[in-house]
């Protein structure tokens, strides 16, 4: 009997192009079920984490529009009517407007000073070699590991001897000193990732070091500045220990001190709706800053890894 056999593929001649028809088909690929299970598990964890973070925020916002009776009788239900008087009462009677203004002045001044001084120090440490460069850099790194609680007592006497106790500008200087180590550490690594050819071209054209820094290198470092600015803003806005020790004047309290005072006073009065309204007032600027600049924060954090 004659059998029909499939002829073996003829090898391509030397110099002849090999097409897909000349390559024998391989075994079918198997689906990787392990990756699908892992992705589903990780997405489930992220959804659970988002629920745990978002729900308390939404509950606080919802409670700020309720009256005191609804807060205790039906804490998880939506408000029947929106009580905007809670916000006005917290803003005027609880002096949240004064606390908010003081916080804006302190955080705004300290944030600008931190970014200007920190970027200048980081640029010099990242771009210039001089004796003591690494020593100064490690001093800033050591400042990140120094607990602020150990410096409260000597810091109080230093600020008092300088005549800066219970002043807005004294608190600004302390905030700048508190935030500089992390700012210099972050921006030094960021400036090292920037190309040196642009600065060298500016020097060839006759630009000075200061002009090269402010007009060329600083705009190139905008993603890093925004990222470290957001981190400093969050830390300085929520700072409680430093103003409690260095700012005992009731007229110059910042928002964190005002929230503690509001919690004590409204707790005795039973005005829980006003307390929640003040809490949401202090929380909204932080959420707005992160929502607006979240893309810049991610770009600043990943810029060094992508270069």
């Amino acid at each position: 009997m004659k059998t029909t056999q499939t002829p073996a593929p003829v090898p391509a001649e030397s110099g002849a192009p090999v097409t897909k028809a000349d390559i024998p088909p391989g075994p079918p690929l198997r689906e990787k079920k392990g990756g699908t299970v892992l992705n589903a598990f990780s997405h489930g964890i992220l959804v659970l984490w988002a629920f745990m973070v978002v729900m308390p925020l939404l509950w606080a916002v919802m409670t700020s529009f309720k009256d005191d009776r609804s807060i205790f009788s039906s804490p998880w239900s939506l408000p029947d009517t929106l009580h905007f008087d809670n916000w006005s009462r917290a803003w005027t009677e609880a002096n949240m407007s004064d606390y908010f203004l003081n916080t804006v002045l302190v955080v705004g001044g300290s944030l600008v000073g931190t970014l200007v001084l920190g970027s200048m120090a980081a640029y010099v440490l990242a771009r210039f070699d001089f004796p003591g460069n690494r020593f100064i850099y490690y001093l800033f790194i050591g400042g990140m590991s120094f607990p602020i609680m150990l410096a409260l007592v000597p810091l109080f006497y230093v600020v008092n001897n300088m005549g800066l106790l219970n002043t807005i500008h004294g608190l600004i200087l302390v905030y700048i000193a508190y935030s500089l180590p992390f700012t210099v550490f972050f921006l030094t690594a960021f400036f090292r990732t920037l190309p040196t050819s642009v600065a060298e071209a500016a020097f060839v054209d006759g630009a000075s070091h200061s002009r090269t820094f402010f007009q060329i290198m600083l705009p190139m470092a905008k993603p890093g500045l925004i990222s470290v600015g957001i981190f400093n803003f969050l830390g300085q806005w929520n700072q409680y220990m430093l103003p409690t020790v260095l700012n005992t004047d009731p007229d110059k309290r910042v928002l964190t001190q005002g929230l503690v005072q509001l919690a004590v006073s409204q707790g005795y009065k039973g005005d829980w709706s006003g307390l929640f309204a003040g809490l949401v007032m202090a929380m909204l600027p932080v959420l707005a800053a992160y929502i607006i600049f979240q893309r810049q924060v991610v770009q600043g954090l990943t810029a060094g890894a992508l270069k």
Side-chain angles (χ1 to χ4, degrees), residues 91 95-103 251 253:
W91 184 258
N95 298 325
M96 290 296 293
S97 58
D98 298 334
Y99 303 149
F100 199 91
L101 178 60
N102 293 336
T103 306
D251 296 331
R253 288 173 177 168

Side-chain angles (χ1 to χ4, degrees), residues 96-173:
M96 290 296 293
S97 58
D98 298 334
Y99 303 149
F100 199 91
L101 178 60
N102 293 336
T103 306
V104 170
L105 293 176
V106 173
V107 175
S110 60
L111 193 60
V112 172
T114 301
L115 292 180
V116 172
L117 297 178
S119 61
M120 294 171 66
Y123 177 74
V124 172
L125 293 175
R127 293 289 179 170
F128 299 97
D129 292 330
F130 56 89
N133 181 301
R134 304 306 297 173
F135 177 73
I136 297 175
Y137 176 73
Y138 286 124
L139 280 180
F140 281 108
I141 300 299
M144 295 174 56
S145 61
F146 189 79
I148 192 62
M149 295 181 62
L150 298 180
L152 288 178
V153 175
L155 184 62
F156 174 84
Y157 285 105
V158 169
V159 173
N160 188 25
N161 293 334
M162 296 177 63
L164 299 176
L165 196 64
N166 298 327
T167 59
I168 296 295
H169 53 280
L171 203 57
I172 290 175
L173 293 178

Side-chain angles (χ1 to χ4, degrees), residues 123 128 198-217:
Y123 177 74
F128 299 97
V198 180
E200 293 174 355
F203 291 143
V204 171
D205 292 338
S208 61
H209 288 285
S210 59
R211 184 176 180 181
T212 301
F213 171 72
F214 285 106
Q215 295 187 1
I216 298 177
M217 304 305 296

Side-chain angles (χ1 to χ4, degrees), residues 216-247:
I216 298 177
M217 304 305 296
L218 203 59
M220 293 176 61
K222 182 180 178 180
L225 291 174
I226 294 178
S227 299
V228 75
I230 291 297
F231 292 136
N232 286 328
F233 173 77
L234 297 178
Q236 294 173 3
W237 186 272
N238 296 323
Q239 182 60 242
Y240 174 72
M241 189 175 300
L242 289 176
T244 301
V245 176
L246 304 176
N247 186 28

Side-chain angles (χ1 to χ4, degrees), residues 8-301:
V10 180
E13 298 179 359
S14 61
V18 180
T19 62
K20 292 183 178 180
D22 300 329
I23 302 175
L29 297 177
R30 298 180 178 178
E31 297 182 357
K32 296 182 178 180
K33 296 183 178 180
T36 305
V37 174
L38 182 60
N39 290 335
F41 178 76
S42 60
H43 283 76
I45 294 297
L46 291 177
V47 170
L48 179 61
W49 179 258
F51 179 80
M52 295 173 60
V53 172
V54 173
M55 282 305 298
L57 300 180
L58 294 179
W59 182 78
V61 174
M62 179 184 66
T63 308
S64 66
F65 291 102
K66 291 183 176 182
D67 56 0
D68 295 332
R69 180 181 300 177
S70 299
I71 292 176
F72 290 98
S73 61
S74 55
W76 301 108
S77 63
L78 295 175
D80 298 332
T81 57
L82 299 180
H83 296 272
F84 291 100
D85 58 315
N86 299 337
W87 289 63
S88 61
R89 190 169 62 254
W91 184 258
T92 57
E93 297 180 8
N95 298 325
M96 290 296 293
S97 58
D98 298 334
Y99 303 149
F100 199 91
L101 178 60
N102 293 336
T103 306
V104 170
L105 293 176
V106 173
V107 175
S110 60
L111 193 60
V112 172
T114 301
L115 292 180
V116 172
L117 297 178
S119 61
M120 294 171 66
Y123 177 74
V124 172
L125 293 175
R127 293 289 179 170
F128 299 97
D129 292 330
F130 56 89
N133 181 301
R134 304 306 297 173
F135 177 73
I136 297 175
Y137 176 73
Y138 286 124
L139 280 180
F140 281 108
I141 300 299
M144 295 174 56
S145 61
F146 189 79
I148 192 62
M149 295 181 62
L150 298 180
L152 288 178
V153 175
L155 184 62
F156 174 84
Y157 285 105
V158 169
V159 173
N160 188 25
N161 293 334
M162 296 177 63
L164 299 176
L165 196 64
N166 298 327
T167 59
I168 296 295
H169 53 280
L171 203 57
I172 290 175
L173 293 178
V174 174
Y175 275 24
I176 292 175
Y178 173 76
S179 304
L180 268 181
F182 173 74
T183 304
V184 172
F185 169 74
F186 187 95
L187 292 180
T188 299
F190 191 87
F191 275 117
R192 288 173 181 169
T193 63
L194 298 180
T196 59
S197 57
V198 180
E200 293 174 355
F203 291 143
V204 171
D205 292 338
S208 61
H209 288 285
S210 59
R211 184 176 180 181
T212 301
F213 171 72
F214 285 106
Q215 295 187 1
I216 298 177
M217 304 305 296
L218 203 59
M220 293 176 61
K222 182 180 178 180
L225 291 174
I226 294 178
S227 299
V228 75
I230 291 297
F231 292 136
N232 286 328
F233 173 77
L234 297 178
Q236 294 173 3
W237 186 272
N238 296 323
Q239 182 60 242
Y240 174 72
M241 189 175 300
L242 289 176
T244 301
V245 176
L246 304 176
N247 186 28
T248 57
D249 189 354
D251 296 331
K252 297 179 181 178
R253 288 173 177 168
V254 295
L255 203 54
T256 51
Q257 295 175 288
L259 282 177
V260 174
Q261 180 64 28
L262 181 64
V264 174
S265 61
Q266 303 299 78
Y268 282 112
K269 295 178 182 178
D271 190 5
W272 299 101
S273 56
L275 176 60
F276 276 99
L279 175 64
V280 176
M281 286 181 188
M283 181 178 60
L284 285 181
V286 177
L287 292 178
Y290 184 77
I291 291 174
I292 294 173
F293 297 104
Q294 60 177 337
R295 181 175 300 178
Q296 287 80 357
V297 171
V298 175
Q299 289 178 355
L301 292 176

